[in-house]
Amino acid sequence: MSRFKSNSGRAFPLGSNCDGKGVNFALFSAHASKVELCIFNDSGSQEEERYVIRENDNNIWHIYLEGAKPGLVYGYRVYGRYDPAQGYRFNPNKLLIDPYGKKLVGTLIWNKAIFGYDIDSADKDLSFSELDSAPYVPKSVVVDDNYDWEKDVSLGYSLSSSIIYETHLRGATKLNPFLNDSERGTFAGFGDDSTLNYLKHLGITTVEFLPIHAFFSNRHKRGYIIDNYWGYESFSFFAPEQSYLSKGDINEIKDLVKKMHAKGIEVILDVVYNHTGEGNHLGPTLCYRGIDNLSYYTLNQDDRRYYNDTTGCGAGFNLQHPMVLRLVMDSLRYWVKEMHVDGFRFDLATTLCRTNGNFKQTSGFLYAVAQDEVLQRVKLIAEPWDIGMGGYQLGAFLPGWAEWNDKYRDNIRRFWKGDEFQIAELASRLTGSSDIFNHDNRTISSSINFITAHDGFTLHDLVSYNHKHNSANGEDNRDGSDANWSWNSGAEGESDNKVVEKNRMYRTRAMLATLMLSFGTPMMVFGDEFARSQMGNNNPYCQDNAITWITWEGINAKQRQLISFVRKLIRLRKKLKIFNRTKFFTGQMVDVQGCKDIAWYTEQGKEFIESDWHDGSRHSLSYLIKDAQGFIMAIFNANYHEIDWKLPSLSNKLSWNLLLDSSGQFAELSNIRSSKVIKVPAWSVLVFEIKGK
């Protein structure tokens, strides 16, 4: 006898939704011939009932179970053709999670049963597997969305006033000595005062979490034998990663967001809608592939057995399909409205905007986001590239979007490495990359300026290694980028040579200062503020260990000094209101005294002329910016030696006060007059505030 009385229910909303009297289930599939709803015990270990879903309105299969409550564990079995050569991969022997499921129970067990085909067959995915996958896959759980937010509201920081801190939730808290073991590496652990007070003390306004959507490993891909620690194999776009829940309650995320907002810190999620954990044609059948492979993925139209892959992860998610686009939009709105997050960073965003294989500003995704009143209130950041044809689209996203600026990253690295012919580009990168973003009324904060991120060397390793050292990844050091623009300062790896140590310290501080004194939106990666090392590994995607964890108790006195320096930098950036500007510089006169909004000066105290910009041996420059309060001048010296620098010949009534010396050699320098010659240390950044008397 059935536990619940069923009726047809409603086609919308999709997913499982409780109304207090029962639960409505709705699932999209355009090509299925039959769908069954499977009910499990609380642990998901035993299937107890099946309900045939008989209602199908416009490709939405739906059913209502009277008396069902939050906590009910379920999954789907979807019937239809199994003909991979034509793109059909239905297999009712495979239990499928709900694409709209907001919570999962159970873990994925890597067994041959999770594949839709017989993996032992010579025909591979053209064969058909009759093994039941239910014992080996997670199940969806009905949730109650009720939660007391206690008047929590979005902080609404502008990008121009934001300091973004990219971090891995698990890695940041796994070794936090103030946490209970059950809280380490979880939402609850990150929400502890020991974590949040540190970020508040540092001056961070916005935390960007690496993926927290439920994700699976890479092991279904040929050649991959270890898991993806970073989480870029997102699988459910609603359910959180189970291992990040200390007690299995999704309200832990809401508790974290609410507490971060109370501390004045925003939350941005790194989201991966460009592909899923099901991978390529040899991957498992866990959700989308078994529900409607033809709709959810971009197939190779010459041979539908295979996928069009612009991600390097096996298959691209098909946002050209209206219901797949709806899934992504519903997911984004859910995380804003129900979880109160403040924005998103979109992994491989170019793939989301492809129409018939090509990136289009008129894509359905970009237009859907542009008209959405919920998403217009949050931060939208694109990783503006993928690996497909025409995939590099830096600067091509619509107004309202910000973009990771890898040209900034590479130029700043090369300048502080001492490379030649970097000055002309440096001027643009310091001032918001107008050559890339100054169009369609985009703002100067459209450029997300970063020197390091999760992918690549840490800042410490950038000044400590000439080459990647990824042997721990098990891929013979073939993985990871070789274009790091790094310099080891004279010795590969850790060194006790005083000269090497001094150079590394100077360049580390100079790059951090450059980041905070550049126009655009600064983003730093967790641990750079105390010289965290990954021992030269520039691709630790699979390193769930001390290589990627923050070793809080191992932070020494020198590292604490660097933390204090970064805190000073952030406070300085916030103090100098000029960094809140939204418009790009013009280099034109802005007042009757003939002052320009920005001017560039050499060490002779003269403005740059054309030949200066093309002097490949030049390793220094300075900008002088006029604002309502006076002038700000920053000097950037990437020479191996100190240089004499003549301050510009401005009015003698102006007083030059040193606000920052990244090298730490000037204890105090104030009330200097124009035209004075000062010593600028090697590998350093100096900042002056110039006020009239």
Side-chain angles (χ1 to χ4, degrees), residues 585-601 607 624-628 630-632 648-651 654 690:
F585 293 98
T586 66
Q588 303 300 312
M589 305 299 182
V590 293
D591 60 26
V592 293
Q593 283 77 33
C595 295
K596 300 176 182 179
D597 60 355
I598 189 168
W600 302 92
Y601 284 89
E607 282 197 58
L624 181 69
I625 296 173
K626 176 73 168 64
D627 68 3
F631 295 89
I632 298 295
S649 299
L650 304 178
S651 169
L654 297 176
I690 309 165

Side-chain angles (χ1 to χ4, degrees), residues 472-546:
N473 297 352
E475 299 179 44
D476 297 324
N477 208 37
R478 294 189 303 268
D479 62 304
S481 175
D482 292 310
N484 297 295
W485 307 116
S486 63
W487 174 42
N488 64 18
S489 310
E492 189 74 357
E494 297 306 311
S495 172
D496 57 4
N497 183 294
K498 299 301 182 183
V499 174
V500 170
E501 284 188 341
K502 186 176 181 180
N503 182 282
R504 289 176 179 177
M505 183 268 289
Y506 280 179
R507 289 197 294 129
T508 294
R509 291 164 65 103
M511 281 190 275
L512 288 166
T514 303
L515 179 64
M516 292 302 163
L517 294 169
S518 297
F519 290 84
T521 306
M523 184 191 82
M524 59 187 298
V525 70
F526 74 108
D528 274 357
E529 72 273 17
F530 52 82
R532 182 180 71 89
S533 176
Q534 293 173 167
M535 295 176 280
N537 193 324
N538 75 348
N539 188 36
Y541 73 97
C542 56
Q543 299 299 329
D544 188 6
N545 50 48

Side-chain angles (χ1 to χ4, degrees), residues 579-619:
F579 287 102
N580 290 335
R581 71 178 288 137
T582 59
K583 300 298 183 182
F584 287 91
F585 293 98
T586 66
Q588 303 300 312
M589 305 299 182
V590 293
D591 60 26
V592 293
Q593 283 77 33
C595 295
K596 300 176 182 179
D597 60 355
I598 189 168
W600 302 92
Y601 284 89
T602 69
E603 63 272 24
Q604 287 83 31
K606 298 179 180 179
E607 282 197 58
F608 264 66
I609 60 176
E610 189 68 20
S611 59
D612 292 320
W613 293 116
H614 298 290
D615 182 357
S617 64
R618 175 171 290 282
H619 297 285

Side-chain angles (χ1 to χ4, degrees), residues 131-285:
L131 298 175
D132 184 6
S133 69
Y136 309 104
V137 297
K139 285 80 180 176
S140 301
V141 182
V142 178
V143 303
D144 181 357
D145 285 327
N146 291 326
Y147 179 80
D148 184 3
W149 279 101
E150 300 178 294
K151 298 182 180 180
D152 175 78
V153 294
S154 172
L155 296 172
Y157 297 141
S158 65
L159 279 170
S160 61
S161 63
S162 298
I163 311 292
I164 300 176
Y165 187 84
E166 187 201 39
T167 187
H168 191 287
L169 182 132
R170 175 175 168 83
T173 60
K174 182 62 178 175
L175 298 180
N176 185 334
F178 298 101
L179 301 179
N180 298 323
D181 287 345
S182 63
E183 295 176 330
R184 298 178 189 274
T186 69
F187 296 108
F190 204 94
D192 187 81
D193 282 343
S194 61
T195 305
L196 298 186
N197 287 345
Y198 169 75
L199 296 176
K200 183 73 173 177
H201 171 79
L202 199 60
I204 300 301
T205 68
T206 307
V207 168
E208 180 180 306
F209 286 118
L210 268 66
I212 65 167
H213 289 163
F215 60 87
F216 298 137
S217 73
N218 279 323
R219 286 177 292 176
H220 60 281
K221 296 180 181 177
R222 186 176 180 180
Y224 285 81
I225 59 174
I226 43 184
D227 287 347
N228 189 321
Y229 160 74
W230 280 344
Y232 288 96
E233 290 291 338
S234 296
F235 192 75
S236 171
F237 300 131
F238 289 82
E241 168 58 27
Q242 295 179 76
S243 65
Y244 294 171
L245 299 171
S246 66
K247 298 178 181 178
D249 185 351
I250 64 171
N251 283 343
E252 291 179 33
I253 308 171
K254 299 177 181 179
D255 291 341
L256 170 61
V257 174
K258 182 168 65 174
K259 192 166 184 179
M260 290 180 71
H261 285 174
K263 296 282 188 180
I265 303 172
E266 292 181 316
V267 179
I268 289 178
L269 302 185
D270 193 337
V271 288
V272 189
Y273 295 113
N274 57 78
H275 72 283
T276 79
E278 288 184 311
N280 64 18
H281 64 290
L282 296 179
T285 296

Side-chain angles (χ1 to χ4, degrees), residues 331-611:
S331 168
L332 292 169
R333 283 189 290 264
Y334 170 76
W335 285 95
V336 175
K337 295 176 68 175
E338 298 296 334
M339 297 297 188
H340 284 208
V341 303
D342 303 284
F344 305 94
R345 179 266 188 186
F346 294 83
D347 181 66
L348 300 181
T350 299
T351 290
L352 307 179
C353 309
R354 287 186 178 271
T355 302
N356 298 325
N358 299 312
F359 173 86
K360 297 288 186 182
Q361 287 186 327
T362 55
S363 69
F365 173 69
L366 286 178
Y367 274 18
V369 170
Q371 61 77 47
D372 191 281
E373 62 179 11
V374 173
L375 299 182
Q376 288 308 298
R377 302 197 300 266
V378 302
K379 292 179 170 65
L380 302 169
I381 301 172
E383 182 184 35
W385 51 76
D386 63 20
I387 68 167
M389 185 71 70
Y392 189 75
Q393 293 293 335
L394 179 64
F397 282 72
L398 297 178
W401 283 79
E403 303 174 38
W404 272 27
N405 188 350
D406 64 326
K407 289 187 181 296
Y408 177 94
R409 175 197 65 195
D410 292 350
N411 174 248
I412 302 303
R413 288 184 177 196
R414 296 190 67 182
F415 175 75
W416 289 110
K417 177 173 172 281
D419 284 0
E420 295 186 335
F421 294 101
Q422 298 303 308
I423 292 296
E425 183 178 358
L426 179 65
S428 180
R429 302 296 162 250
L430 290 172
T431 52
S433 296
S434 61
D435 56 322
I436 299 171
F437 297 106
N438 190 12
H439 59 85
D440 297 325
N441 293 312
R442 297 186 72 175
T443 66
I444 203 169
S445 54
S446 298
S447 175
I448 300 296
N449 297 332
F450 69 104
I451 302 172
T452 58
H454 68 276
D455 187 3
F457 280 145
T458 65
L459 190 57
H460 176 76
D461 290 355
L462 193 66
V463 299
S464 303
Y465 294 89
N466 283 347
H467 311 287
K468 66 187 182 185
H469 294 264
N470 298 355
S471 58
N473 297 352
E475 299 179 44
D476 297 324
N477 208 37
R478 294 189 303 268
D479 62 304
S481 175
D482 292 310
N484 297 295
W485 307 116
S486 63
W487 174 42
N488 64 18
S489 310
E492 189 74 357
E494 297 306 311
S495 172
D496 57 4
N497 183 294
K498 299 301 182 183
V499 174
V500 170
E501 284 188 341
K502 186 176 181 180
N503 182 282
R504 289 176 179 177
M505 183 268 289
Y506 280 179
R507 289 197 294 129
T508 294
R509 291 164 65 103
M511 281 190 275
L512 288 166
T514 303
L515 179 64
M516 292 302 163
L517 294 169
S518 297
F519 290 84
T521 306
M523 184 191 82
M524 59 187 298
V525 70
F526 74 108
D528 274 357
E529 72 273 17
F530 52 82
R532 182 180 71 89
S533 176
Q534 293 173 167
M535 295 176 280
N537 193 324
N538 75 348
N539 188 36
Y541 73 97
C542 56
Q543 299 299 329
D544 188 6
N545 50 48
I547 291 178
T548 54
W549 299 343
I550 290 181
T551 53
W552 293 104
E553 291 185 296
I555 297 175
N556 59 36
K558 286 186 178 179
Q559 290 173 308
R560 287 194 290 272
Q561 290 176 2
L562 186 57
I563 291 174
S564 296
F565 175 72
V566 173
R567 181 171 183 257
K568 178 180 179 180
L569 282 175
I570 293 174
R571 292 178 66 184
L572 177 60
R573 180 182 174 91
K574 291 179 178 179
K575 173 187 175 182
L576 300 177
K577 300 303 182 183
I578 186 64
F579 287 102
N580 290 335
R581 71 178 288 137
T582 59
K583 300 298 183 182
F584 287 91
F585 293 98
T586 66
Q588 303 300 312
M589 305 299 182
V590 293
D591 60 26
V592 293
Q593 283 77 33
C595 295
K596 300 176 182 179
D597 60 355
I598 189 168
W600 302 92
Y601 284 89
T602 69
E603 63 272 24
Q604 287 83 31
K606 298 179 180 179
E607 282 197 58
F608 264 66
I609 60 176
E610 189 68 20
S611 59

